[in-house]
Amino acid sequence: MSDKINVLIIDDDRFVQKLISKTLAASGLSTRTADDGESGIAIAQQEQPDLILLDVEMPGINGYEVCDRLRSLPETQDIPVVFLSSHGTLRERLQGYEVGADDYLVKPFEAEHLLARINVLMRYGAERKELSQRYQQAQQTAIIAITGTSELAQAMHFLEKSLSYSNFDEIAQGLFNTTTRFSLECVLLISANDELHWFSSQGSISPLEKELIEMNDKDSRFFDFGARTIINFPQASLLVKNMPLEDMDRYGRLKDLFPILLSAVNTKINVLATQAALTQQNHELLRSFSQIRGSLYHLAKTILVNRDHSNKLLQDLVHDISYDMMRMGLEEDQEEYLLHRIDSAIEEAMQQMDAGQEISEVFYTINHNLKSVISNQESLVQAFISSQASESTEQSEDDSGIELF
């Protein structure tokens, strides 16, 4: 880590102060300590550190009150804050997030874990600063663009556009286009194929935001805490970070719209999963058909080759026997007996070869039918892909001219 990172440790336990300071100093970080909340706030205002490690339980004002005051001061409102506590329940994490914390570490913790969290928050802070100005400009542009457009119209527009989305990135971007027009900041979690896919309307997600969404009860449709609301569906969860508490009518309208939006997201995720499964199944069927067709072709070819070879052997055998019998000087009845046995064997062999020809013809018919099935299947898949691409293009072309009521 860079030696320019300054960390303020606010903790009433001197031993903990020294232990953390020694750990951070060994990694090139500079530290400053405070024994209580009031002195910590004063130091933070004066020196404005890059990150604050804040104990929850302290004499005087506790860590939650300290964090709340830091977020209300212009000098410290954007400094990342990591709570240090011996308790780590969901309720306590929610309380920390409610007052503005960026992360929450449960004591005791490993030094490597602390350093990793600091590293993540430094990157998160840098991304947030870099994106803040662009986000504000984009938000202002979006607000101007939707002047006179109702929230319901935006939701219906998203439902129509969602039909053309072909991956999770497009789903998230389309949803955020709608929520940004509502002036909302959101984090989206998509769960699919045993994998978690994270998206943010602001470009970055804090570790605590991820923990809150993952630890939330998925059986509850809505989970409200302060100005934050989590909306849960089987394959998607949305954290709205700035619900309009000052306008309860608009708050109620938005809560009516979110199930519609998330239902469309959830349905599209299932559709994409089904399409992927069908496409994979089609590839496997085509591969199996091709292998069967190849095997049947080689089998039929082998039958024909063996038939020709057997026919030649019989012809050679008849020729050799006839020649040998002339030299043996057999009695007439002996010769007739041997010729009868030879004729019977040759007749039976020819019958067997004729049956082989029938089998070969059957194999040829099966092979031809499989070739037709493969061709038809490939045509269907190509037609499906073309229709999807055409639908997506049409949706994109109609996007700018859609009427919103």
Side-chain angles (χ1 to χ4, degrees), residues 1-9 19-31 49-54 80-84 102-105 109-126 207:
M1 294 183 184
S2 173
D3 57 2
K4 295 182 180 180
I5 297 178
N6 299 309
V7 179
L8 173 60
I9 306 168
L19 183 61
I20 296 177
S21 296
K22 183 177 180 181
T23 298
L24 299 184
S27 298
L29 283 72
S30 61
T31 60
D50 297 308
L51 183 137
I52 297 174
L53 299 178
L54 178 58
V81 175
V82 179
F83 272 123
L84 306 178
D102 296 278
D103 208 345
Y104 196 107
L105 282 178
F109 47 81
E110 297 292 337
E112 292 80 5
H113 193 191
L114 173 62
L115 293 171
R117 290 297 185 97
I118 292 176
N119 189 28
V120 169
L121 283 174
M122 288 298 96
R123 291 199 303 268
Y124 167 66

Side-chain angles (χ1 to χ4, degrees), residues 12 23 30 50 70 103 118 148 173 177 200 203 225 227 239 278 322-323 348 382 387 404:
D12 62 310
T23 298
S30 61
D50 297 308
L70 289 172
D103 208 345
I118 292 176
Q173 188 57 51
N177 287 341
S200 171
F225 50 106
L239 167 63
L278 290 176
S322 298
Y323 179 76
E348 183 179 353
Q382 188 59 43
S387 67
L404 301 175

Side-chain angles (χ1 to χ4, degrees), residues 126-142:
E127 292 174 354
R128 183 170 58 182
K129 290 178 182 179
E130 180 181 351
L131 294 172
S132 177
Q133 185 176 3
R134 287 188 294 171
Y135 172 72
Q136 293 297 332
Q137 294 173 349
Q139 185 182 46
Q140 184 63 29
T141 302

